[in-house]
Amino acid sequence: MNLRPLPFPVGALLASLLLAGCSLAPDYRRPEAAIPASYKEAPQPPAGAPWKLAQPADAVERGEWWRVFADATLDDLEQQALAANQDLKAAAARLGQARALEKTARAALFPQIGVGLGPTRQLPSPASQGLPANADTDPGTLWRGQASFAWEADLFGRLGDGARAAGFDAERNAALFRATLLTLQADVAQAYFLIRELDAAQALYADTIKLRAASLELFQRRFDAGDIGEMELARATAELASAQAEADGVARQRAVAEHALAILLGRPPADFALAPQPLTRLSVAIPGGLPSALLERRPDIAAAERAMAAANARIGAARAAYFPQLSLTGSYGYESARLGDLFNSASRTWALGPLVGTLLSLPIFDGGARAAGVDRANAAYDEEVARYRQTLLQAFKEVEDNLAHLRILDRQHAAQDRAVGAARRAAELSQIQHREGAIGYLAVIDADRSVLQQRRSAVSLDGERARATVNLIRALGGGW
């Protein structure tokens, strides 16, 4: 049986279909990174801990992890932030842009089809008509109504690799959106606990001011009666004024913190106020899990990994520039010198092949532009690998830092509680000795000041514990 060769356009089309989808990108594998077997700072999880280890992927919904703190006010603030925070909306818009770019890149894999209708007015030259140079020619109008198509066959995966890279970019932006979401949730919790810590400090200073005001009133009566000298009265006045100044400093810090929280909620500070509520000590136990789980849980690590995959795909697109590019174009429709005859059967016309340029193109000499493009793509991939490994190292550091904070804070709290108890006992004894006349009232003031300082330190530690707990949850990638 004799086989006739296929016509060139048909053969080129079949060859392009056979080669379409080939990719010159290197096989992508997640690069090796130094991952410890366990966290150095992680304590053994306590028995009956309310948290459990899980094995989610980075895209798994984290849920309302802040509910572990069992604070209805915090729950409400988190919902307000999710609904109105402007940075979160901007991140969602960036994700929408990335997904649209992915669709645009994938659209290049398909034929582009269009229709058109319109006239062309032209004056032919005498030479094109075979006439003498001084001959007159008449202008004519040619009406066209036709459908056209254009298609570049993805012979060596240039378009496919570009589409895959755009897809990885979209996944990277999705991971960055989840990172922004997690950061917002953690920032709201941090700001909330800071305000509650300052509320506890304000309550502490309010009690201190009442006691020192009562003491000053007593000293004033005794001074008026001539029982004490002016120095003791001045000392009591200074202690009251000092407590009032420190209370005003705390109030100033709280106002600033409240304004910052309002911005996180997407509200102007003038329209937001949070009722005072002193912070109580948190007792939430959070197991650190395994370092390898961070590769699945942390959205910023996932974003860095997707960036590597996109850079790897772009290496294939850069390599494809060394190979031929096949572009097919065509049209089918009608053309006529008169509009009334445009859609008659005798006016049909068609064209197949490149309307502009050539069917198959391959640069022979470009001064090293293609080689530079491949070098750039390889260097971009190496950059993303380094960023990925650095992101991993930073993630491990954040977890270790906050595990260490919580571990050492346990010891600090125990020591500080002992200090508060001892200071209170010393203040009680100084009161007794003062009533018995064994010591002066200045010693009582010193003992009271020590109680205030120790209680203020205890409140600060409570705030640090709350913030370290939130930071650890964020460092681990969100809730379980």
Side-chain angles (χ1 to χ4, degrees), residues 107-119:
L109 296 168
F110 300 92
Q112 308 300 305
I113 301 174
V115 295
L117 175 67

Side-chain angles (χ1 to χ4, degrees), residues 24 26 56 76 86 110 143 187 229 235 243 245 273 286 293 301 306-307 330 351 374 381 396 428 433 436 470 472:
L24 300 175
D76 180 62
Q86 298 305 308
F110 300 92
W143 289 86
D187 285 348
R235 186 67 178 272
I286 303 173
I301 294 177
R306 264 73 165 182
V374 174
Y381 175 75
F396 294 147
E428 292 172 358
Q433 291 177 354
E436 294 176 350
V470 173
L472 179 57

